[in-house]
Amino acid sequence: MSWQTYVDDHLMCDVQGNRLTAAAILGQDGSVWAQSSNFPQLKPEEIQGIKDDFTSPGILAPTGLFLGGNKYMVIQGEPNAVIRGKKGAGGVTIKKTTQAFVFGIYEEPMAPGQCNTVVESLGDYLIESGL
């Protein structure tokens, strides 16, 4: 299965009538493995901030999480596993796997928990697969 299929079929899927706004799988070096057409272009410093927060949880809390220049307030997460952010009526979930980061960006009416489930389930599957 191609990485794009994971994004198209597993991240951008229908969840009780709702869908993510954008999704991607990036290597931990920032390389794009696959992404939806409207996923923001991440800047190197944004990727570095994500990597730093996974290494030292909480480092993004004071400054916020930036994706394509959009600022998200960092909310609950799981140290070295998940970063969650909120922006207006939407947000983002980022799951760290062995080799990659799985991103899901959502807007209402999708609920934060629905986004978390979609992103973290795929991330857990990739971890179990050694990816």
Side-chain angles (χ1 to χ4, degrees):
M1 187 175 339
S2 76
W3 289 113
Q4 193 61 50
T5 302
Y6 282 106
V7 170
D8 295 343
D9 295 350
H10 299 284
L11 292 175
M12 299 300 290
C13 61
D14 183 82
V15 181
Q16 299 174 342
N18 300 315
R19 292 181 182 272
L20 292 173
T21 306
I25 302 171
L26 274 62
Q28 290 185 12
D29 62 357
S31 61
V32 176
W33 292 8
Q35 64 184 15
S36 62
S37 61
N38 55 347
F39 189 78
Q41 179 68 38
L42 301 186
K43 301 172 185 166
E45 60 270 19
E46 294 172 341
I47 294 166
Q48 189 61 50
I50 293 165
K51 290 166 59 174
D52 291 347
D53 197 79
F54 277 119
T55 304
S56 302
I59 205 163
L60 288 176
T63 59
L65 164 68
F66 287 85
L67 300 176
N70 294 309
K71 183 178 180 179
Y72 293 80
M73 177 178 64
V74 178
I75 56 175
Q76 75 196 47
E78 297 167 31
N80 206 30
V82 178
I83 297 171
R84 296 184 186 107
K86 184 84 173 131
K87 178 178 181 269
V92 62
T93 301
I94 306 168
K95 172 75 175 181
K96 180 182 178 188
T97 73
T98 309
Q99 300 176 23
F101 299 124
V102 180
F103 291 78
I105 298 173
Y106 69 94
E107 294 289 336
E108 285 184 341
M110 181 172 247
Q114 291 174 316
C115 177
N116 295 344
T117 298
V118 169
V119 172
E120 294 175 39
S121 295
L122 179 60
D124 289 340
Y125 170 77
L126 294 177
I127 290 168
E128 291 167 11
S129 302
L131 300 167

